[in-house]
Amino acid sequence: MLADIFINPWIDMVEAPDFLLQVLWEGLVSGILYALIALGFVLIFRSSRIFNFAQGIMVVFAALTLVGLHAYGVPAWIAVALTLGVMFILAVTIERVVLRPLVGQPDIILFMATIGITLFLIGFGEIIFGGENKQMISAELGIPTGDTVLEPWGGLLILQHLDITVVIVATLLVAALLAFLNFTQMGRAIRALGDDHQAALSVGISLQTIWVLVWFIAGIIALVTGIAWGARAGVSFALEVIAYKALPVLMLGGLESITGAIVGGLMIGILEKLFEIYWGQPLLGGNTETWFAFVLALIVLLFRPQGLFGERIIERV
Amino acid sequence: MNHFTKLAAATLLAGVTAGAAMAQELYAPNLSYRTGPFAATGIPLMNGQADYLAMLNARDGGIGGVPINAEECETGYSTEKGVECYEKTKGAAIVTQPWSTGITLQVLPKTNVDNIPILAPGYGFSPMADGTVFQWAFNMPAGYWDAADMIVQYMESEGSLDGKKVAFLHLDHPFGKEPLPVLEMHAESKGFELVPIPVGLKEMQNQSAQWLQIRRERPDYVVMWGWGAMNAGAITEAVKTKFPMDKFIGVWWSGHDADLKIVGEDGAGYKSISWSFPNMDAPVMAAIKEHVIDAGNTMSNEEEMQGVFYSRGVVISAILAEGIATAQAEYGTAEINAEQLRWGLENINMTEERISELGLDGMVPPFSTSCANHTGHSGGWMLEWDGEKFVKASDLLQADVAGYQALLAEKAAEYAESNAPWPTNESCSAMN
Amino acid sequence: MLYRTAGQFKTSYQADQALFPVKQDAFLLGVILLLAWVILPMVASEFVFQALLIPVLIFSLAALGLNILTGFAGQLSLGTGAFMGVGAYACYKMVSIFPEMNLIVAILLSGFFSAAIGVAFGIPSLRIKGFYLAIATLAAQFFLVWLFEKWAWLYNYNASGAIQVPNLDIFGIFVSGPQAASITEYYVVLFVVSLLTMVCINLTRGTLGRTWKATRDMDIAAELIGINLMKSKLTAFAISSYIVGVAGALYVFLWKGAAEPNAFDIPLSFQVLFIAIIGGLGSVLGNYLGAILIVGLPVVLNLVPNALGISINSAMVEHLNVMIVGGLIVFFLIVEPHGLNQLWRLIREKLIIWPFPH
Amino acid sequence: MKDTAGYVTADGRQIGGTLMEMRNITLKFGGVTAISDISFDIHEGEIRAIIGPNGAGKSSMLNIISGFYTPTIGEVWYKGEKRPPMKPFEVARMGVARTFQNIALFEGMTVLDNVMTGRLTHMKSSILSQALWYGKAQQEEMENREIVEKVIDFLEIQRIRKTPVGRLPYGLKKRVELARALAAEPSILLLDEPMAGMNVEEKEDMSRFILDVNDEFGTTICLIEHDMGVVMDLSDRVVVMDYGKKIGDGTPQEVRADQAVIDAYLGVPHE
């Protein structure tokens, strides 16, 4: 038993290094997508202290809109543009209808409101798009579908071109986002908002504008995530559950840290896959991915309550 | 607020009176799931069911002259909603169609008290086959244990299973665990290693961990008990990880055309056992087209109608209609009640002739039920995805029911015991 | 005029701290109790029992349990569903191991198991706060549901993995299982819920209640005036989980009759959370109002199209339902973030000074 | 302990022996030294003030006394014994009550409930008894309510008893906070800038209450204050701090005459 826990998994890893590489690669790809969703959370939280539970459904909604528009005969790239438009309208609507009347309410109320938005979008989305599983328009968007087979150490390593694309696009998106936050006035205002409302307002950008902008950016991230996950597994409301995975990422990385979201996402993606394959499946009957990330984050937080990248909290009276 | 209460009271009242006014029809509610993660498989099934009954209503004015009210109550495949729907519809219903193993398990004991037959074609709890214990439950034409047995037979037909490894990829849900007893039994007697790989409800769309495990285990076959979004997930992963598709066999709920279309050619060779088959040339399809589709009373479409699941929906409704017709003939009344329908469902005799009479040629194998045998054990065909559609890849396979008859009886008795007091039908063998 | 409180003087602290210092409140409660114990059971149909009365009571109790933790002690939890599951499975195991055990006793005992698990998962609350804690409770949620699936002993190795409620009787009357009559189930639920509501009212207005509220409002100050935060938080987790666990046992044994592991998954947690928030955090009454709304709404929505003679397919009704519930949540939060309880309080205040505007 | 004998104040009150003594207290946060090597004592029944400009370390000193911070070096002696390291709530239970610079009332509760929380350290009924509202719980509730009502009377806040504290004006909040601390019947009462942000009238009221508390209940009071005038009038002895160091200690007259204090503090005109 002890050997199964402490020794055998390592032996397995060394004995089949190609398989280990495959596991790490799969973990990396899901980790990047977790990081993307977490990034959406962080942006909104930093600028408005709202813990946006609807981020997950926004992913589904964006992907469904894209696929739905295309089904009506809209060319793929125009559909992407139109979907971005829809996400913008969504951001404006949420700001007007939900956030503005709730300004100044306790965090938990805003959190609940985002759960309300989630339910609303689920119902609305199912009415418009229907509940059946749909195919992402990968080919139309020019996402490559083949794979590259490598044979390290005489083994087998399959790299889906789709996954490679996901990794590249996600990296570019993150880079663009960081550039936006660091080098534009808008971006700096968003970052400042996290630290000090007054200071941010004195830059001369209204709070409403920033909120709409931030929700819109979260919408863009949602669309990219939706395309990526959708291309991997089809588009349906079952996608929503992957958004839960972003939550432990936030715990690990800290609610306000962009670096934290990225590093936390990658960490969780890789570690949960390793745990599931080498410990979960042989010892615990599998499916440990549902909780592993949460338990890991919980344990880390017990020792570092501020998360891996949060600043140490000094309490004052 | 006052306005609101008035409205609520009015609707309640209306609901009650509506219930009383429904006497002129046969109320056969369907606990459908057109929403939620399983909607993908649910929608074509529900459409097939609804269209067949709509066709009967339009063509024959119902069954025996009484129209069928096949109202749907949406469950979203949620057990909780399902029970709610059951409670809501049971008042006037002559049958309940719970549509999920979970819901079936929950309403099973209630039907003993409410005296309503459960019609669960091809799903539910396999020991329901034992009509002496489960007087009110029917899962004809074949149960999950039959499916498992036929799949094992098919694999064996390709060579001895001794020393082989079979991965059992299943939904971690009552449905997915159903065939385990039979698979375990065969594993022991035939000498293959069974590796159960559960897929959680939450991971249906992201099965990379499961397929990594399959890659590590290197099984000779993968047998899948999947449902809804899980099927598409598994099939895409199988293609990605380059698992040989002809060694990948699913239960009948894993043989949905739309799931395979996602991978298209790459999925060629994938198999699924089935007790139904789409035959667009069958007279019944023409009748549906004439009376329902062309009349614009369908939620389906041309493409969906050609699929396995739509035709299965048609067959399911045909079985129900046959049960109703049998009961009407026996009791000499068109407006049968739930108790009479139970007799009808217990005495279905779907011979080749009858199937052809109903216009279902080639869509369902012949079978018959009895008081003690609520499953019928029709057998099934192994279907194969040829890259565009499912084709029959085998002759009619017959499950070796005798091999697990004892196990069925044992599990049924066990169930009855743990739910004591449980009424059993002692008179059954005499009547048979 | 109806609600005039003038002329009701209190001559002792005891009278001042009585549950209902205002006569009309006591009267109103009397009416509600009469309704619940006598009138409703007499007139309710099978459908009303099963779709409204029993679930409303059970969900009220679960929300009350959550409210102790979140509304009174300020610790946000998203794991209520799993703790209900612990109660249900504990009850199931108890009645399978001791078939002779009185069901009500078993239900009340099962709460202790969820209390123990609740305390274990509450320990992080000593170091983790706010949303971090909320996410941490999700660890309990996902882990426990996984455990319900994997630990076959919990469901007596049933092939289906579900737990099935046997027919159980108290003094020869079936109280649970398919043989039990709805009215019997209703009375058992009503009894347990009334009992625990009483306990909750007492706890929240006394020493422990103040300890919790102080912890919620400002934990640092609470500690500096002598409150042991660890004890305060862990008692809140224990009592909250106890009540939630009992609600879970009721949920399976007296309402659903059977349950699969995923019945206790996150949607259940959210449903209870909605009830607690829409009802009003930090209130007892609010849980009932919230449960009536959240449980009753879908039932009414399902009836409306029928009544109006519109034929909508059931899937559409379901989608609309989800949409409307979502919209309503947002609507209620905007109109009255403190919930239905606050709305009632404002109405009551208006009534007291009525007919004068101020 | 040294100097356990009491003394007589200028206005003729008899002060008891040493109640609390701080010995060589040093407090560091990371690399920053907030307090370095300070010692002083508090006698039973006296009003002791700690004064000093912003950032002198007064609040940190108070936080050490109430157990919120643990000194990096040094010892706290209380009632003749060295106080082991303990949690703030344990310190409170030993009879140390306090108020806060930025009012720390429980906003979701009424005034009465807030003041009742001051009694929590004295309430010991079991959960079962509380759950049933029977026996000890009920009796305890009544007894403590009586004590709380006395405090409420004393501070003249009867009128707002049932008002949620969130709705109160600043001055009244300060008074409710004092009531909560007093309700604990503390051996030593710590007041963190009790007059901060008040107008002259409110300051006078508060001064009167402080003196009355000391007079009526004989409560030992240790207060931090910015406002020199008030402190000099109120207190029996004063500790002066600057940049984390003690620069003076004695009666108001002595302190006022101390050249180091004048240079560091009094020499600077304030407010």
Side-chain angles (χ1 to χ4, degrees), chain A residues 18-19 22 26 126 132-133 135 147 149 156 160 229 233 236 238-239 241 273 276-277 281 285 287 289-290, chain B residues 35-37 39-40 43 172 198-200 202-203 205-206 208-210 212-213 215-216 232 236 240-242 262:
Chain A
D18 60 319
F19 185 68
Q22 186 81 54
E26 300 282 333
E126 292 228 29
E132 64 271 24
N133 198 15
Q135 225 178 316
D147 51 31
V149 178
L156 178 70
Q160 298 293 326
W229 268 107
S236 82
L239 268 182
V241 294
K273 201 68 84 188
E276 167 74 9
I277 297 291
Q281 286 173 352
N287 280 357
E289 280 178 292
T290 47
Chain B
T35 64
I43 290 167
D172 211 355
V199 177
K202 294 188 199 73
E203 289 110 31
Q205 295 212 324
N206 179 23
S208 79
Q210 283 80 6
L212 281 169
Q213 189 182 3
R215 191 177 140 188
R216 179 166 59 173
T236 31
K240 268 192 213 167
T241 54
K242 305 197 179 303
I262 296 176

Side-chain angles (χ1 to χ4, degrees), chain C residues 94-155:
Chain C
M94 270 192 285
V95 298
S96 348
I97 296 170
F98 312 103
E100 298 307 310
M101 192 184 248
N102 181 311
L103 179 66
I104 296 181
V105 173
I107 285 173
L108 290 176
L109 284 179
S110 58
F112 287 105
F113 290 89
S114 54
I117 306 276
V119 168
F121 278 100
I123 290 171
S125 72
L126 305 177
R127 287 184 56 99
I128 307 172
K129 289 175 184 172
F131 285 123
Y132 289 97
L133 179 67
I135 305 172
T137 58
L138 276 178
Q141 173 70 58
F142 289 122
F143 182 76
L144 288 172
V145 169
W146 176 82
L147 199 65
F148 299 154
E149 254 161 26
K150 295 289 166 192
W151 193 5
W153 177 79
L154 280 179
Y155 46 86

Side-chain angles (χ1 to χ4, degrees), chain C residues 13-14 16-17 199 202-203 205 207-208 210-211 213-214 216-218 220-221 223-228, chain D residues 68 88-89 92-93 100 104 106-109 113 116 120 123 130-133 138 141 145 149 162:
Chain C
Y13 295 137
Q14 178 123 26
D16 191 45
Q17 295 201 323
V199 165
N202 285 338
L203 285 177
R205 68 180 167 147
T207 310
L208 209 48
R210 276 183 215 114
T211 312
K213 286 185 240 173
R216 168 195 72 190
D217 286 348
M218 194 173 270
I220 296 174
E223 181 161 30
L224 283 165
I225 66 161
I227 290 173
N228 183 346
Chain D
F68 190 65
F89 76 90
R93 286 175 184 199
F100 300 84
F106 307 122
E107 300 266 327
M109 299 157 80
D113 270 338
M116 282 293 276
L120 285 174
M123 297 171 87
Q130 290 182 46
L132 303 175
W133 200 253
Q138 197 179 10
E141 188 81 11
R145 173 80 190 267
E149 285 295 338
K162 296 271 169 93

Side-chain angles (χ1 to χ4, degrees), chain B residues 61-402:
Chain B
I63 303 169
V66 186
I68 315 280
N69 177 358
E71 188 187 48
E72 289 182 1
C73 180
E74 178 62 33
T75 68
Y77 208 69
S78 134
T79 309
E80 186 172 322
K81 289 257 171 53
V83 174
E84 217 178 285
C85 279
Y86 169 75
E87 294 291 344
K88 201 170 97 178
T89 54
K90 75 179 183 191
I94 55 169
V95 65
T96 187
Q97 306 182 68
W99 265 126
S100 112
T101 302
I103 303 173
T104 310
L105 279 168
Q106 298 230 12
V107 300
L108 197 47
K110 294 178 200 258
T111 53
N112 265 335
V113 182
D114 301 325
N115 295 349
I116 295 176
I118 298 180
L119 180 60
Y123 59 94
F125 187 45
S126 300
M128 293 195 315
D130 190 341
T132 55
V133 175
F134 298 97
Q135 300 176 56
W136 295 94
F138 298 86
N139 59 346
M140 71 277 244
Y144 288 139
W145 290 11
D146 295 346
D149 192 77
M150 290 186 277
I151 291 173
V152 171
Q153 273 181 38
Y154 182 83
M155 293 190 293
E156 220 176 6
S157 75
E158 295 186 334
S160 165
L161 290 174
D162 194 25
K164 294 228 169 108
K165 196 187 248 186
V166 175
F168 175 55
L169 185 75
H170 64 282
L171 192 63
D172 211 355
H173 198 261
F175 151 72
K177 294 175 186 165
E178 259 298 311
L180 269 172
V182 166
L183 289 173
E184 277 164 1
M185 183 187 84
H186 281 310
E188 200 166 315
S189 66
K190 302 197 192 303
F192 63 88
E193 188 193 345
L194 184 71
V195 185
I197 300 177
V199 177
L201 279 172
K202 294 188 199 73
E203 289 110 31
M204 288 194 309
Q205 295 212 324
N206 179 23
Q207 293 171 31
S208 79
Q210 283 80 6
W211 284 89
L212 281 169
Q213 189 182 3
I214 288 171
R215 191 177 140 188
R216 179 166 59 173
E217 297 282 352
R218 298 173 197 282
D220 297 288
Y221 288 96
V222 171
V223 172
M224 168 158 76
W225 242 248
W227 199 233
M230 172 179 162
N231 295 333
I235 289 161
T236 31
E237 283 290 341
V239 170
K240 268 192 213 167
T241 54
K242 305 197 179 303
F243 186 83
M245 289 310 272
D246 56 341
K247 300 292 177 194
F248 188 12
I249 306 172
V251 69
W252 40 72
W253 302 119
S254 299
H256 181 30
D257 299 70
D259 294 337
L260 272 302
K261 278 191 182 134
I262 296 176
V263 294
E265 281 296 331
D266 292 337
Y270 172 80
K271 289 184 188 63
S272 159
I273 189 79
S274 176
W275 44 260
S276 71
F277 188 72
N279 179 9
M280 292 311 284
D281 301 328
V284 71
M285 296 307 281
I288 289 175
K289 182 153 183 357
E290 181 191 337
H291 295 281
V292 185
I293 314 292
D294 295 344
N297 290 329
T298 184
M299 291 202 273
S300 187
N301 56 58
E302 199 85 1
E303 190 189 347
E304 185 184 271
M305 283 178 68
Q306 294 168 10
V308 176
F309 275 31
Y310 181 89
S311 68
R312 186 170 297 153
V314 170
V315 169
I316 288 170
S317 276
I319 292 173
L320 171 62
E322 183 64 6
I324 293 173
T326 311
Q328 286 173 336
E330 166 75 10
Y331 293 97
T333 168
E335 284 179 39
I336 53 159
N337 61 25
E339 196 124 359
Q340 290 164 336
L341 178 60
R342 181 186 126 201
W343 191 92
L345 291 170
E346 272 181 352
N347 290 282
I348 287 182
N349 192 6
M350 282 274 200
T351 57
E352 283 290 0
E353 296 75 48
R354 184 65 184 149
I355 289 172
S356 170
E357 228 173 280
L358 292 169
L360 292 163
D361 306 69
M363 292 177 71
V364 59
F367 70 97
S368 66
T369 54
S370 71
C371 161
N373 175 1
H374 279 194
T375 298
H377 308 295
S378 70
W381 300 286
M382 189 57 80
L383 306 186
E384 183 174 325
W385 180 254
D386 70 358
E388 283 172 10
K389 61 182 188 306
F390 275 104
V391 294
K392 282 185 188 170
S394 79
D395 295 332
L396 189 62
L397 296 167
Q398 282 294 348
D400 175 23
V401 185

Side-chain angles (χ1 to χ4, degrees), chain D residues 95-110:
Chain D
V96 179
R98 65 171 290 174
T99 65
F100 300 84
Q101 185 179 347
N102 307 307
I103 304 173
L105 284 171
F106 307 122
E107 300 266 327
M109 299 157 80
T110 61

Side-chain angles (χ1 to χ4, degrees), chain C residues 59-79:
Chain C
F59 276 109
S60 304
L61 186 66
L64 181 57
L66 176 63
N67 225 320
I68 296 264
L69 186 65
T70 304
F72 286 93
Q75 313 296 308
L76 181 56
S77 164
L78 301 176

